């Protein structure tokens, strides 16, 4: 089992380039099922989750050419059709986002069998909203032995759909399916994350007729077929937020490149309230060590609110403040697993239901810690960078799911970080 060992308190000095967005790449890859032509995706991050999605797609008849992934971050996908429409448990259990093949398969094959993704560390994460919305387009569903079996014998038909709660994945699944349904689909209460807008931009470049309205509504005129395209993935706003926090809590100065400022406007306003030393220079961010004296009460929310995917990371930052802050986690029911590990490193964070109180602490000390999920594991890396002494982080496969070249990016700026078997 690989581990990461970090000796803390090294100043970070240098440039970090933000990679393409994992959460935009995954639905974009699933969209390859919607056409017989080739989809070329650029700025794809070389991450474990990308390889997992490629394996799921290969098992469904998509040819995934990854020969340019490592050195050029390009992947080419071509669905050559196959009567296989079964996404196996063994693949789906590794990554919940595999559920994103459901809508495209139903639209193209008029049938699909996808393993229930199952919960994961951060919560039960059901898929009822995906299923109910696709049923409104004509999908007939039943659950058998842990698999979602669905078919639409006479194809999908446009419908008026009101999503009962805002769901990123369900929004993506239903928009992809509706792109090839007969007639018009109107979906309300959609999620509006930049990753969804990136998917819509790509689908429109494939010939889909999609119009995003204000107030979380989208209108889709189904088309007969979609073409191939070449699309460049947006930068990863969660990775960007993570490295901004790294730059603020460590000594030194970081230049962060490839940032989409529109996508992190909400983050920058929270960081401004904390009076952190972050300035914009052309298209880059300059981030310097900041003394954190302010406190805030933060709610994680759907975009454009503060993202749940940065909740663990900002806890490390708020632990350094002279005043207590609170964070309420409103998206997932169990997303505080990083707290016991951070407290073992010296933090003083109390949990009361969905609310965390982050009290001032006397800094962090190195320890043996355990990663539990992707974003929790990177919060342990952040704490390790400023901890006194050595930290060993176990189960780093969580990190590899969402952070491309993490050690190299940090070591390249002077961090004392290495991966060991
Ligand atoms: C996406 O997950 C992201 N993953 C998550 O990022 C992110 O945390 C999440 O959106 C929220 O922003 C990808 O994009 C691949 P949801 P998703 O459907 O689509 C409940 C990371 O670290 N729900 O918006 O699964 C659900 O349980 C990952 O990169 C239902 O109840 O999130 C959750 O409480 C973690 N029924 C809430 O909605 C459903 O059918 C939001 O989930 C679907 C969701």
């Amino acid at each position: 089992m690989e581990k990461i060992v970090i000796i803390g308190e090294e100043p970070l000095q240098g440039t970090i380039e933000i990679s393409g967005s994992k959460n935009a790449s995954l639905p974009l890859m699933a969209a390859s099922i919607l056409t017989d032509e080739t989809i070329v995706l650029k700025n794809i991050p070389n991450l474990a989750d990308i390889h997992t999605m490629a394996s799921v797609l290969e098992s469904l008849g998509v040819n995934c050419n990854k020969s340019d992934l490592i050195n050029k971050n390009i992947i080419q996908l071509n669905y050559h059709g196959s009567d296989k429409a079964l996404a196996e448990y063994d693949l789906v259990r590794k990554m919940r986002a595999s559920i994103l093949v459901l809508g495209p398969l139903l639209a193209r094959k008029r049938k699909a069998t996808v393993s229930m993704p199952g919960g994961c560390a951060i919560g039960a994460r059901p898929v009822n909203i995906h299923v109910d919305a696709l049923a409104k387009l004509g999908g007939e569903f039943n659950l058998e032995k842990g698999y979602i079996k669905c078919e639409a014998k006479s194809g999908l038909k446009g419908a008026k759909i009101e999503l009962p709660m805002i769901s990123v994945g369900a929004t993506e699944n239903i928009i992809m399916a509706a792109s090839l349904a007969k007639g018009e689909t109107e979906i309300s209460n959609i999620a509006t994350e930049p990753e969804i807008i990136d998917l819509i931009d790509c689908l429109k470049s494939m010939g889909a007729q999609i119009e995003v309205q204000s107030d979380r509504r989208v209108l889709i005129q189904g088309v007969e077929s979609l073409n191939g395209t070449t699309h460049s993935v947006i930068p990863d706003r969660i990775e960007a937020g993570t490295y901004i926090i790294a730059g603020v809590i460590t000594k030194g100065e970081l230049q962060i490149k490839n940032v989409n400022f529109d996508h992190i406007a909400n983050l920058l306003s929270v960081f401004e309230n904390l009076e952190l030393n972050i300035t914009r220079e052309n298209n880059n961010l300059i981030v310097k060590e900041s003394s954190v004296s302010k406190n805030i009460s933060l709610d994680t929310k759907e975009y454009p609110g503060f993202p749940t995917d940065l909740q663990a990371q900002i806890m490390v930052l708020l632990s350094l403040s002279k005043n207590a802050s609170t964070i309420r986690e409103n998206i997932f029911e169990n997303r505080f697993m990083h707290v016991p590990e951070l407290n073992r490193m010296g933090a003083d964070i109390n949990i009361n239901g969905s609310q965390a109180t982050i009290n001032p602490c006397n800094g962090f000390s190195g320890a043996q810690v355990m990663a539990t999920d992707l974003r929790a594991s990177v919060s342990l890396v952040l704490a390790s960078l400023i901890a006194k002494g050595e930290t060993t982080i176990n189960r780093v496969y969580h990190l590899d799911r969402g952070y491309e070249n993490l050690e190299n990016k940090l070591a390249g700026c002077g961090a004392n970080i290495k991966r060991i078997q």
Side-chain angles (χ1 to χ4, degrees), residues 22-23 26 96-97 122 125-130 165-170 172 193 308-309 331-333 335 374-375:
K22 166 180 85 81
N23 290 349
L26 296 172
R96 168 186 166 72
I122 58 179
R125 302 183 75 183
V127 290
N128 57 310
I129 300 173
H130 299 244
M165 72 186 278
I166 293 171
S167 158
V168 170
E172 291 164 344
E193 270 67 2
T308 174
D309 291 348
I331 305 294
F332 290 106
E333 69 269 27
R335 203 172 194 176
L374 167 56
R375 308 302 173 180

Short mmCIF file of all heavy atoms in Angstrom, two decimals, residues 22-23 26 96-97 122 125-130 165-170 172 193 308-309 331-333 335 374-375, ligand 1:
data_model
loop_
_atom_site.label_atom_id
_atom_site.label_comp_id
_atom_site.label_asym_id
_atom_site.label_seq_id
_atom_site.Cartn_x
_atom_site.Cartn_y
_atom_site.Cartn_z
N LYS A 22 -11.61 17.18 -13.05
CA LYS A 22 -12.05 15.77 -12.97
C LYS A 22 -13.57 15.71 -13.15
O LYS A 22 -14.07 14.90 -13.92
CB LYS A 22 -11.68 15.20 -11.61
CG LYS A 22 -12.37 13.87 -11.29
CD LYS A 22 -11.98 13.31 -9.94
CE LYS A 22 -12.81 13.87 -8.82
NZ LYS A 22 -14.15 13.25 -8.63
N ASN A 23 -14.29 16.57 -12.46
CA ASN A 23 -15.76 16.47 -12.46
C ASN A 23 -16.41 17.00 -13.73
O ASN A 23 -17.61 16.80 -13.91
CB ASN A 23 -16.33 17.13 -11.21
CG ASN A 23 -16.00 16.33 -9.96
OD1 ASN A 23 -15.52 15.19 -10.07
ND2 ASN A 23 -16.21 16.90 -8.80
N LEU A 26 -15.43 13.53 -16.40
CA LEU A 26 -16.15 12.26 -16.31
C LEU A 26 -17.45 12.27 -17.12
O LEU A 26 -17.68 11.37 -17.94
CB LEU A 26 -16.37 11.90 -14.84
CG LEU A 26 -15.06 11.65 -14.07
CD1 LEU A 26 -15.31 11.49 -12.58
CD2 LEU A 26 -14.33 10.41 -14.61
N ARG A 96 -18.42 6.17 -8.28
CA ARG A 96 -19.85 6.44 -8.31
C ARG A 96 -20.26 7.15 -9.60
O ARG A 96 -21.36 6.97 -10.12
CB ARG A 96 -20.11 7.30 -7.08
CG ARG A 96 -21.38 7.89 -7.08
CD ARG A 96 -21.58 8.82 -5.95
NE ARG A 96 -22.75 9.52 -6.31
CZ ARG A 96 -23.95 8.97 -6.29
NH1 ARG A 96 -24.07 7.73 -5.90
NH2 ARG A 96 -25.00 9.64 -6.66
N ALA A 97 -19.34 7.90 -10.18
CA ALA A 97 -19.68 8.68 -11.38
C ALA A 97 -19.97 7.76 -12.57
O ALA A 97 -20.44 8.21 -13.61
CB ALA A 97 -18.55 9.63 -11.72
N ILE A 122 -18.64 9.28 1.99
CA ILE A 122 -19.24 10.56 2.44
C ILE A 122 -20.76 10.48 2.54
O ILE A 122 -21.41 11.44 2.89
CB ILE A 122 -18.82 11.73 1.52
CG1 ILE A 122 -19.23 11.49 0.07
CG2 ILE A 122 -17.34 11.98 1.63
CD1 ILE A 122 -18.84 12.64 -0.85
N ARG A 125 -25.63 8.40 -0.85
CA ARG A 125 -25.57 8.84 -2.25
C ARG A 125 -26.48 7.98 -3.15
O ARG A 125 -26.03 7.30 -4.04
CB ARG A 125 -24.12 8.86 -2.74
CG ARG A 125 -23.27 9.77 -1.86
CD ARG A 125 -21.87 9.89 -2.32
NE ARG A 125 -21.77 10.74 -3.50
CZ ARG A 125 -20.61 10.97 -4.13
NH1 ARG A 125 -19.51 10.39 -3.70
NH2 ARG A 125 -20.57 11.73 -5.21
N PRO A 126 -27.77 8.02 -2.89
CA PRO A 126 -28.71 7.26 -3.74
C PRO A 126 -28.78 7.84 -5.15
O PRO A 126 -28.22 8.92 -5.41
CB PRO A 126 -30.04 7.44 -3.01
CG PRO A 126 -29.89 8.68 -2.22
CD PRO A 126 -28.43 8.77 -1.85
N VAL A 127 -29.46 7.14 -6.05
CA VAL A 127 -29.60 7.64 -7.42
C VAL A 127 -31.07 7.75 -7.81
O VAL A 127 -31.41 7.74 -9.00
CB VAL A 127 -28.85 6.73 -8.43
CG1 VAL A 127 -27.34 6.88 -8.26
CG2 VAL A 127 -29.27 5.28 -8.26
N ASN A 128 -31.93 7.91 -6.82
CA ASN A 128 -33.38 7.98 -7.08
C ASN A 128 -33.75 9.13 -8.00
O ASN A 128 -34.62 9.00 -8.86
CB ASN A 128 -34.15 8.10 -5.75
CG ASN A 128 -33.68 9.30 -4.94
OD1 ASN A 128 -32.47 9.48 -4.73
ND2 ASN A 128 -34.59 10.15 -4.53
N ILE A 129 -33.03 10.25 -7.90
CA ILE A 129 -33.38 11.42 -8.74
C ILE A 129 -33.03 11.12 -10.20
O ILE A 129 -33.78 11.42 -11.12
CB ILE A 129 -32.64 12.68 -8.25
CG1 ILE A 129 -33.03 12.98 -6.81
CG2 ILE A 129 -32.99 13.88 -9.15
CD1 ILE A 129 -32.25 14.11 -6.18
N HIS A 130 -31.89 10.42 -10.41
CA HIS A 130 -31.52 10.03 -11.78
C HIS A 130 -32.64 9.16 -12.36
O HIS A 130 -33.14 9.39 -13.46
CB HIS A 130 -30.24 9.19 -11.78
CG HIS A 130 -29.02 9.86 -11.24
ND1 HIS A 130 -27.91 10.11 -12.00
CD2 HIS A 130 -28.72 10.29 -9.99
CE1 HIS A 130 -26.98 10.70 -11.26
NE2 HIS A 130 -27.45 10.80 -10.05
N MET A 165 -34.62 17.76 -6.02
CA MET A 165 -33.53 18.47 -5.32
C MET A 165 -32.40 18.67 -6.31
O MET A 165 -32.34 18.01 -7.36
CB MET A 165 -33.07 17.70 -4.07
CG MET A 165 -32.28 16.44 -4.34
SD MET A 165 -31.95 15.52 -2.84
CE MET A 165 -30.52 16.41 -2.24
N ILE A 166 -31.52 19.58 -6.00
CA ILE A 166 -30.45 19.91 -6.95
C ILE A 166 -29.40 18.80 -6.89
O ILE A 166 -28.85 18.51 -5.83
CB ILE A 166 -29.82 21.27 -6.60
CG1 ILE A 166 -30.87 22.37 -6.83
CG2 ILE A 166 -28.58 21.53 -7.46
CD1 ILE A 166 -30.45 23.73 -6.31
N SER A 167 -29.17 18.15 -8.02
CA SER A 167 -28.20 17.05 -8.09
C SER A 167 -27.33 17.23 -9.33
O SER A 167 -27.85 17.26 -10.46
CB SER A 167 -28.94 15.70 -8.17
OG SER A 167 -28.08 14.72 -8.72
N VAL A 168 -26.01 17.28 -9.12
CA VAL A 168 -25.08 17.46 -10.24
C VAL A 168 -25.20 16.29 -11.20
O VAL A 168 -25.47 16.46 -12.40
CB VAL A 168 -23.63 17.60 -9.71
CG1 VAL A 168 -22.62 17.54 -10.84
CG2 VAL A 168 -23.48 18.89 -8.91
N GLY A 169 -25.05 15.08 -10.69
CA GLY A 169 -25.04 13.90 -11.55
C GLY A 169 -26.36 13.68 -12.25
O GLY A 169 -26.41 13.35 -13.45
N ALA A 170 -27.46 13.86 -11.52
CA ALA A 170 -28.78 13.64 -12.14
C ALA A 170 -29.00 14.67 -13.26
O ALA A 170 -29.50 14.32 -14.34
CB ALA A 170 -29.88 13.75 -11.09
N GLU A 172 -26.74 16.01 -15.12
CA GLU A 172 -25.90 15.59 -16.27
C GLU A 172 -26.52 14.41 -17.01
O GLU A 172 -26.63 14.40 -18.23
CB GLU A 172 -24.49 15.26 -15.77
CG GLU A 172 -23.73 16.48 -15.31
CD GLU A 172 -22.51 16.19 -14.46
OE1 GLU A 172 -22.36 15.05 -13.93
OE2 GLU A 172 -21.69 17.11 -14.30
N GLU A 193 -23.39 23.86 -11.81
CA GLU A 193 -21.93 23.87 -11.62
C GLU A 193 -21.25 24.14 -12.97
O GLU A 193 -21.78 23.73 -14.03
CB GLU A 193 -21.50 22.52 -11.07
CG GLU A 193 -21.47 22.40 -9.55
CD GLU A 193 -22.85 22.48 -8.88
OE1 GLU A 193 -23.86 22.60 -9.59
OE2 GLU A 193 -22.91 22.46 -7.64
N THR A 308 -18.95 21.98 -1.33
CA THR A 308 -18.69 20.92 -0.34
C THR A 308 -17.32 20.29 -0.58
O THR A 308 -16.67 19.85 0.37
CB THR A 308 -19.80 19.85 -0.39
OG1 THR A 308 -19.45 18.77 0.47
CG2 THR A 308 -20.00 19.30 -1.78
N ASP A 309 -16.85 20.30 -1.83
CA ASP A 309 -15.57 19.65 -2.14
C ASP A 309 -14.37 20.43 -1.63
O ASP A 309 -13.24 19.96 -1.73
CB ASP A 309 -15.42 19.47 -3.66
CG ASP A 309 -16.40 18.43 -4.18
OD1 ASP A 309 -17.00 17.73 -3.35
OD2 ASP A 309 -16.59 18.35 -5.41
N ILE A 331 -24.63 19.39 2.03
CA ILE A 331 -24.80 18.56 0.84
C ILE A 331 -24.74 17.07 1.15
O ILE A 331 -25.59 16.30 0.72
CB ILE A 331 -23.73 18.92 -0.23
CG1 ILE A 331 -23.77 20.41 -0.56
CG2 ILE A 331 -23.89 18.05 -1.47
CD1 ILE A 331 -25.05 20.88 -1.24
N PHE A 332 -23.75 16.66 1.93
CA PHE A 332 -23.59 15.23 2.25
C PHE A 332 -23.78 15.00 3.74
O PHE A 332 -23.43 15.86 4.56
CB PHE A 332 -22.21 14.73 1.80
CG PHE A 332 -22.07 14.65 0.31
CD1 PHE A 332 -21.31 15.58 -0.39
CD2 PHE A 332 -22.74 13.67 -0.42
CE1 PHE A 332 -21.20 15.53 -1.76
CE2 PHE A 332 -22.63 13.62 -1.80
CZ PHE A 332 -21.86 14.54 -2.47
N GLU A 333 -24.28 13.81 4.06
CA GLU A 333 -24.63 13.55 5.47
C GLU A 333 -23.45 13.06 6.29
O GLU A 333 -23.53 12.94 7.49
CB GLU A 333 -25.80 12.58 5.55
CG GLU A 333 -25.53 11.14 5.12
CD GLU A 333 -25.82 10.90 3.64
OE1 GLU A 333 -25.72 11.88 2.85
OE2 GLU A 333 -26.10 9.76 3.27
N ARG A 335 -19.68 13.93 5.87
CA ARG A 335 -18.48 14.41 5.20
C ARG A 335 -17.55 15.13 6.18
O ARG A 335 -16.94 16.13 5.87
CB ARG A 335 -18.84 15.34 4.03
CG ARG A 335 -17.71 15.37 3.03
CD ARG A 335 -18.00 16.07 1.75
NE ARG A 335 -16.96 15.74 0.78
CZ ARG A 335 -16.95 16.13 -0.47
NH1 ARG A 335 -17.91 16.89 -0.93
NH2 ARG A 335 -15.99 15.78 -1.29
N LEU A 374 -11.49 11.36 -1.09
CA LEU A 374 -10.63 12.21 -1.91
C LEU A 374 -10.32 13.56 -1.27
O LEU A 374 -9.17 13.92 -1.05
CB LEU A 374 -11.32 12.42 -3.27
CG LEU A 374 -10.79 13.49 -4.19
CD1 LEU A 374 -9.33 13.28 -4.47
CD2 LEU A 374 -11.60 13.48 -5.47
N ARG A 375 -11.33 14.30 -0.87
CA ARG A 375 -11.06 15.67 -0.41
C ARG A 375 -10.55 15.66 1.03
O ARG A 375 -9.74 16.49 1.41
CB ARG A 375 -12.32 16.53 -0.53
CG ARG A 375 -12.96 16.50 -1.90
CD ARG A 375 -12.03 16.96 -3.01
NE ARG A 375 -12.65 16.75 -4.33
CZ ARG A 375 -12.07 17.06 -5.48
NH1 ARG A 375 -10.85 17.53 -5.46
NH2 ARG A 375 -12.66 16.83 -6.61
C1 LIG B 1 -20.95 15.50 -7.78
O1 LIG B 1 -21.38 14.30 -7.15
C2 LIG B 1 -19.43 15.50 -7.67
N1 LIG B 1 -18.87 14.34 -8.36
C3 LIG B 1 -19.02 15.47 -6.19
O2 LIG B 1 -17.60 15.55 -6.14
C4 LIG B 1 -19.60 16.70 -5.51
O3 LIG B 1 -19.28 16.67 -4.14
C5 LIG B 1 -21.13 16.69 -5.69
O4 LIG B 1 -21.46 16.65 -7.09
C6 LIG B 1 -21.78 17.93 -5.08
O5 LIG B 1 -21.25 19.08 -5.67
C7 LIG B 1 -18.76 14.40 -9.72
O6 LIG B 1 -19.12 15.38 -10.36
C8 LIG B 1 -18.17 13.20 -10.38
P1 LIG B 1 -25.15 15.24 -6.24
P2 LIG B 1 -22.92 13.82 -7.32
O7 LIG B 1 -25.99 14.31 -7.05
O8 LIG B 1 -23.41 14.14 -8.67
C9 LIG B 1 -28.14 13.54 -3.00
C10 LIG B 1 -15.45 14.92 -5.50
O9 LIG B 1 -14.87 14.93 -4.42
N2 LIG B 1 -28.73 12.74 -4.11
O10 LIG B 1 -25.18 16.71 -6.54
O11 LIG B 1 -23.00 12.42 -6.85
C11 LIG B 1 -26.74 13.06 -2.66
O12 LIG B 1 -26.78 11.96 -1.78
C12 LIG B 1 -16.87 14.44 -5.58
O13 LIG B 1 -14.96 15.28 -6.60
C13 LIG B 1 -29.89 12.00 -3.86
O14 LIG B 1 -30.40 11.97 -2.74
O15 LIG B 1 -23.63 14.76 -6.24
C14 LIG B 1 -26.12 14.27 -2.03
O16 LIG B 1 -26.49 14.31 -0.66
C15 LIG B 1 -17.40 14.01 -4.21
N3 LIG B 1 -30.43 11.27 -4.88
C16 LIG B 1 -26.79 15.44 -2.78
O17 LIG B 1 -27.95 14.89 -3.42
C17 LIG B 1 -29.88 11.27 -6.14
O18 LIG B 1 -30.43 10.61 -7.04
C18 LIG B 1 -25.91 16.05 -3.87
O19 LIG B 1 -25.50 14.99 -4.70
C19 LIG B 1 -28.72 12.05 -6.36
C20 LIG B 1 -28.16 12.78 -5.33
#
